[in-house]
Amino acid sequence: MASAEEPRVRLPQLKLDELLEELRARIDAARGIRDRVHSLLEAVLTVGRELDLEQALHSIVEAAAALVDAEYAALGVIGPDGSSLSAFLTVGVTEEQIAEIGPFPEGHGILGEVIRHPEPLRLEKISQHPASYGFPAHHPPMNTFLGVPIRVRDQVFGNLYLTEKRGGGQFDEEDESVLSTLAVAAGVAIDNARLYEESRLRERWLRANAEITYSLMSGSARAEVLKLIAERAREIMGSALAAVALPMEATESLAVEIAVGMDAQAHRGLVLPLSSTLMGLAFSAAAPVTSDDVCQDERISPEPPRFHGLGPAVAVPIGTGEGGVRGVVLVAREAGAPVFSGQETEKLQGFAAQAAIAMELAERRKDAEQIAVLQDRDRIARDLHDLAIQRLFATGMMLQSAGRFIEHPEAAERVLRAVDDLDETIKIIRSAIFGLRSREGAAGAGLRARIVRLVDGETPVLGFPPSVRMEGLVDTDVPYEIADHIVAVLSEALTNIARHARAERAQIVVTTDGREVSLTVSDNGVGIPPDGRRSGLRNMAERAEQLGGHLDVSSPDGGGATLCWRVPLPGT
């Protein structure tokens, strides 16, 4: 009897154990889901707190690896072309491994598959997919794969790539769902970080414009303002070099007035043609001109070498075609740095346009002050002519008439001398009036413009355009008489190069520090033969000696010839 009842007691007990086990499993699963949801929420909050874009991207890729328990994770940012990666952030790979692997991927193979088809992709084995073509040397082995796109305002910003789930398992639908949710939160975080970055960048541009406007309106020197424009453009654009060039009167050339940053000395004073250079084209077209690599760009003249170590560059006009272009600002980043985006170029162009407005306002103010000065000079000239001269003339007439009644010879002679002195005084005052009413000389009469016109005229004879650089206050400090000698010496030097040097390159440097002026002309030709004619060199030397200077001629080890003509300036 007892044996017959025993199974009836055990059967419900077994079912109860199974039910309890199932309940425990479901509770554990619920706890796992709760923990994962909690982890997902924490990841979303962590990612959402970041306002720095680069730090936000790092937080996203780290959170993705933790959520799906992946050994390796990466975030690839899609470039402007929409088909390749412009940035690649990784987790799980050491710096030593990255150095051994080599350059970051550009978006081919499996990575490119997610770019071409922006949908979640799960693979049990990467090598089995048709788009896979292996890994580079020293790359860690990877099999399982999960890729999810990140969208920012309906535009694909980049992709999350996860490989090698820990424990040897496979990525499942839950992993895909969690990662897709993180990708949505990541898109919002990236958008917020972008907006924050744009607002900070806009604030920096506005502050720079206000600084330049204040500097101009407070009467700062033009060189100081141009340097300020170059420095702020370089800082905000994250560039290694910035330069500002202005047009030269009566020529088809630009002169680099200011350069700051890497190898700035090689750029200052350069004279650039409008037709075949980045800055010249930006000035002529009144539009930005970009270069992905200035070291390989045909629009960059090889002489003098000045862009070593630099890569992407952009030149934007200072001003617009409607209001007139006042100059060009160029910025260049180091080699390997990202190219300038359209948004960055647009911000720089807006900054340059505002700088041009400030320059125009300052010039209008300066013109108004100049008009006031000229009007005051005209008033002084009229008063001198209508009042002082007439009074002096009348006084002279009275003295001359009174001299007839003076019987004493010595007294009469003194009166006549006084009349002569009054006549000389009248002449001096008239000369002063003429000086007050005189205007500046014709445009393009300065030494800079004369040198550029001379070089342009000699270029067809030489067969190549010489490099020209001018430093210092060439037009202000160098008197017209010395300028005539410099132009004559330069003409003779270029003629000698064209006739005898058989050169392919030539460089002209004119510098002054206010105490002396020097002209250096060098070429890479055959040099000066020992038995050659010396009449041209003798004339150059005589010109220098007449002015208290000297001429040095040398033949560098690399070939060619270097001529240095140097004279002191008056008053030094």
Side-chain angles (χ1 to χ4, degrees):
M1 191 72 177
S3 61
E5 293 178 356
E6 188 174 358
R8 296 179 182 177
V9 177
R10 290 182 176 177
L11 185 58
Q13 184 68 35
L14 290 172
K15 289 183 177 180
L16 181 60
D17 291 341
E18 292 176 1
L19 289 173
L20 288 173
E21 188 65 30
E22 183 179 352
L23 179 60
R24 188 181 297 110
R26 291 191 178 187
I27 291 173
D28 291 341
R31 286 176 178 172
I33 293 173
R34 182 200 64 184
D35 293 342
R36 197 159 196 185
V37 170
H38 182 69
S39 299
L40 177 60
L41 290 175
E42 282 188 347
V44 170
L45 291 175
T46 300
V47 168
R49 279 194 295 264
E50 295 293 346
L51 290 177
D52 181 78
L53 181 58
E54 185 174 354
Q55 188 59 44
L57 297 180
H58 280 287
S59 298
I60 291 168
V61 69
E62 289 172 355
L67 282 174
V68 299
D69 202 20
E71 186 174 354
Y72 303 107
L75 193 157
V77 179
I78 299 177
D81 59 359
S83 61
S84 62
L85 298 177
S86 62
F88 199 73
L89 295 84
T90 62
V91 166
V93 185
T94 65
E95 294 293 334
E96 292 76 11
Q97 288 176 309
I98 292 173
E100 291 179 349
I101 294 171
F104 283 120
E106 298 179 357
H108 305 299
I110 295 297
L111 304 185
E113 186 70 16
V114 186
I115 296 176
R116 292 185 293 272
H117 306 287
E119 299 293 337
L121 176 64
R122 260 188 305 128
L123 300 174
E124 295 182 2
K125 197 171 184 61
I126 296 176
S127 59
Q128 294 178 354
H129 195 279
S132 176
Y133 59 81
F135 296 102
H138 307 291
H139 197 285
M142 296 180 181
N143 293 300
T144 55
F145 176 85
L146 175 59
V148 174
I150 298 175
R151 287 182 169 84
V152 178
R153 298 191 181 187
D154 297 329
Q155 296 291 326
V156 179
F157 172 82
N159 299 305
L160 281 170
Y161 304 110
L162 288 302
T163 61
E164 292 302 289
K165 189 174 179 68
R166 297 182 187 277
Q170 297 287 331
F171 294 110
D172 54 22
E173 293 182 2
E174 189 176 333
D175 293 326
E176 181 180 319
S177 177
V178 169
L179 200 61
S180 297
T181 304
L182 178 65
V184 173
V188 176
I190 291 170
D191 193 28
N192 289 337
R194 275 180 163 180
L195 292 174
Y196 178 71
E197 189 174 283
E198 288 177 7
S199 66
R200 290 187 62 190
L201 188 62
R202 190 179 301 111
E203 181 183 355
R204 293 183 69 187
W205 283 123
L206 290 173
R207 193 184 300 117
N209 277 320
E211 189 177 2
I212 289 168
T213 301
Y214 175 79
S215 180
L216 281 166
M217 300 307 290
S218 62
S220 298
R222 186 184 71 166
E224 294 179 6
V225 177
L226 294 179
K227 185 177 181 181
L228 186 60
I229 292 173
E231 288 176 344
R232 295 297 174 266
R234 174 174 169 260
E235 292 170 4
I236 300 176
M237 295 292 285
S239 304
L241 170 74
V244 177
L246 301 181
M248 298 179 62
E249 292 184 1
T251 68
E252 295 293 320
S253 303
L254 296 173
V256 181
E257 299 282 345
I258 297 293
V260 294
M262 184 183 295
D263 291 335
Q265 187 63 32
H267 295 263
R268 295 192 192 106
L270 276 178
V271 177
L272 305 173
L274 298 181
S275 58
S276 58
T277 60
L278 290 182
M279 301 183 88
L281 293 173
F283 182 88
S284 301
V289 178
T290 60
S291 174
D292 293 344
D293 188 354
V294 288
C295 290
Q296 305 296 328
D297 199 315
E298 296 180 352
R299 296 169 294 183
I300 302 295
S301 59
E303 293 292 335
R306 58 195 185 278
F307 285 106
H308 178 71
L310 297 175
V314 59
V316 300
I318 301 176
T320 61
E322 298 178 359
V325 180
R326 297 178 175 273
V328 178
V329 56
L330 176 140
V331 291
R333 289 174 175 158
E334 293 185 13
V339 298
F340 291 96
S341 65
Q343 188 177 17
E344 288 178 314
T345 302
E346 183 179 352
K347 289 286 193 301
L348 179 61
Q349 189 174 10
F351 167 72
Q354 290 295 324
I357 294 174
M359 291 171 70
E360 183 175 358
L361 289 174
E363 288 181 5
R364 294 287 177 87
R365 178 180 175 180
K366 186 176 180 181
D367 289 343
E369 293 174 352
Q370 184 69 17
I371 289 173
V373 170
L374 294 176
Q375 289 176 343
D376 198 38
R377 287 181 177 181
D378 286 341
R379 180 188 60 78
I380 294 172
R382 285 196 306 271
D383 291 346
L384 286 174
H385 182 273
D386 297 340
L387 299 176
I389 289 182
Q390 299 303 326
R391 281 178 172 273
L392 290 172
F393 185 76
T395 302
M397 293 291 292
M398 286 189 295
L399 287 173
Q400 193 173 19
S401 299
R404 300 172 185 172
F405 303 102
I406 298 176
E407 297 180 356
H408 195 283
E410 186 175 347
E413 183 181 356
R414 290 185 177 182
V415 169
L416 291 176
R417 281 204 304 269
V419 172
D420 292 339
D421 289 342
L422 288 175
D423 287 339
E424 289 298 322
T425 303
I426 291 173
K427 292 179 182 179
I428 292 172
I429 293 175
R430 281 176 173 168
S431 298
I433 293 172
F434 179 79
L436 287 172
R437 288 178 171 172
S438 65
R439 297 295 183 263
E440 294 183 357
L447 179 57
R448 286 176 181 266
R450 295 175 68 188
I451 289 174
V452 172
R453 286 197 298 270
L454 173 61
V455 172
D456 288 343
E458 294 291 339
T459 295
V461 181
L462 291 168
F464 58 86
S467 167
V468 181
R469 187 169 77 245
M470 289 178 270
E471 299 180 11
L473 302 177
V474 175
D475 287 337
T476 305
D477 290 346
V478 182
Y480 196 82
E481 295 77 9
I482 295 180
D484 285 344
H485 286 285
I486 292 174
V487 172
V489 171
L490 177 58
S491 177
E492 180 71 22
L494 293 178
T495 301
N496 289 340
I497 292 174
R499 289 179 179 176
H500 312 295
R502 298 199 295 273
E504 298 176 351
R505 297 192 307 272
Q507 185 173 7
I508 301 164
V509 179
V510 180
T511 61
T512 179
D513 57 2
R515 297 186 297 272
E516 67 175 12
V517 60
S518 66
L519 165 66
T520 303
V521 183
S522 57
D523 65 76
N524 67 337
V526 298
I528 301 175
D531 56 347
R533 295 180 60 186
R534 293 289 192 274
S535 57
L537 294 176
R538 187 165 52 252
N539 292 336
M540 298 180 197
E542 289 176 355
R543 288 179 181 273
E545 291 170 0
Q546 290 174 7
L547 300 172
H550 57 88
L551 171 71
D552 293 326
V553 180
S554 61
S555 297
D557 296 336
T562 299
L563 178 151
C564 184
W565 190 89
R566 190 185 306 269
V567 298
L569 294 176
T572 59

